[in-house]
Each structure stands twice: as structure tokens, then as C-alpha cells.
Amino acid sequence: MDGHVYTAHQSAFVDAGAQIGKGTKIWHFCHIMSQAVIGENCSLGQNVFVANHVRIGNNVKIQNNVSIYEGVILEDDVFCGPSMVFTNVRNPRSAFPRNTADDYLPTLVKRGASIGANATIVCGCTIGEWAFIAAGAVVTKDVPAYAKMAGVPARRIGWMCECGESLRFSGPRTACAACKREYEENDAGLLRRVP
């Protein structure tokens, strides 16, 4: 669009007032509502919906057919796989609409987390930094940083490096086989060791 620092396909609807950062690309049939805030260098695939009051950080990748409803915050470097689902009301009823900000439970996806295709994130959860949610998983509670989650409901099946490789432990400390980042496991979870 002329005069914008982002690009949007002509079939996309970007409502007046939406804040969209430099270098962001919005593809076919997307709808961005007027009070949404999207950072720089993001990519929104075909048929993505972003509701009012949603906050999306920088360098976020949202694949096709994802709806990001009010109450969801995505920090920098988050990846949302194709057709994954966010909810924002824990107990919806058609006969008893819940459509005010007070009805929506917040969901926070922290920096670097990845959510696989067709996964579901039940509202009210926080997904920790660099966590990895497997395709088809259903997240019903908070996820620790670096956790590798799978299943219905999702449970931790391991730990993931920031680079996206599974970590292997023979003691409380390990280094990623791919990138050599170092980690330590303790009662609080997994911590990255910075030399």
C-alpha cells in the first residue's frame, strides 16, 4: 500500500488505526482490526485474523489460517504454525455471550517460542521463552521456558535449544549438539548457561 512501511496484499483488510511495523508482510485474505499492534519484520500468511488489542512483537511468523483473538500477546521471534488455534474464553456459551475485555483470559507467548501446526492453546496460559509445542498438541496450563511439549493434553517430553534442536542430557548440564549453547537443568526448569 502506498505510504505504508509494511506490505499487504490487495485482498487483505487492514482497518484504519492498526499499528503495523516496518517490513511486515500481510498476505492474501488477512484481516487486521483497528486496535491491533504488530511489530517489524513480521509475516502473516494467508487468511490470518488479528483482533483488537492483540500485541505482536518483531520478527513473528504466523502461518496460514491462524486467528489471534483479543487477549493474546506474542513476543518477539514467535512462530505460529499453520491452522494452530488460540482461544480467549474458557467457558463459551452461544446463549450467554462473553464479549467484553473482562471475559477474555490473557494468553502470553514469550520470546522465541514455536507452536506447531494444528496445536491448540487454551486461554489463560503462558508459554515460556523458546518453548516448542508439537503439532496437534493441546496446551491447557503454563509451559516452562525451553520445554518440548506434545500430546493431548500437552506434557513435557524433553527440552529444546534456542536453535530448535532437541537437547540430550547425561547429567544436569548439556550443550546443544548443533549450536553448542550450554544449558543446566534444575528444580526450577532449564536455564541457559552464558559463558
Side-chain angles (χ1 to χ4, degrees):
M1 295 181 159
D2 293 335
H4 294 294
V5 295
Y6 63 90
T7 57
H9 188 268
Q10 62 185 2
S11 65
F13 287 94
V14 179
D15 293 348
Q19 298 176 40
I20 302 172
K22 182 170 115 178
T24 289
K25 294 178 175 61
I26 300 168
W27 295 103
H28 303 69
F29 312 117
C30 291
H31 182 191
I32 314 302
M33 295 190 74
S34 63
Q35 296 175 53
V37 177
I38 301 171
E40 296 182 354
N41 299 313
C42 295
S43 176
L44 281 64
Q46 181 172 298
N47 197 39
V48 168
F49 169 73
V50 181
N52 283 324
H53 309 295
V54 165
R55 300 290 179 264
I56 297 173
N58 298 321
N59 198 42
V60 173
K61 307 292 186 249
I62 303 168
Q63 301 298 304
N64 295 355
N65 305 312
V66 175
S67 292
I68 305 174
Y69 298 115
E70 189 164 342
V72 176
I73 298 172
L74 307 179
E75 291 186 350
D76 295 349
D77 302 312
V78 165
F79 176 88
C80 296
S83 301
M84 62 78 48
V85 175
F86 288 106
T87 69
N88 65 354
V89 175
R90 193 173 292 275
N91 57 345
R93 292 284 198 198
S94 180
F96 299 93
R98 291 162 174 90
N99 55 7
T100 69
D102 293 336
D103 294 322
Y104 301 140
L105 293 177
T107 298
L108 173 61
V109 183
K110 291 192 171 183
R111 180 174 182 237
S114 292
I115 303 169
N118 293 304
T120 298
I121 311 301
V122 175
C123 57
C125 296
T126 295
I127 298 176
E129 291 182 341
W130 306 105
F132 190 92
I133 312 301
V138 177
V139 173
T140 60
K141 59 185 178 181
D142 290 351
V143 173
Y146 302 103
K148 181 179 183 181
M149 306 289 288
V152 179
R155 62 183 179 80
R156 191 179 67 77
I157 61 169
W159 299 109
M160 295 289 277
C161 179
E162 289 179 16
C163 76
E165 294 294 323
S166 291
L167 296 170
R168 291 178 177 28
F169 286 84
S170 58
R173 295 181 181 175
T174 193
C176 175
C179 73
K180 309 305 182 207
R181 286 179 174 90
E182 296 181 358
Y183 297 89
E184 182 173 357
E185 187 177 23
N186 60 33
D187 292 340
L190 190 71
L191 300 173
R192 181 166 167 216
R193 293 169 47 87
V194 179

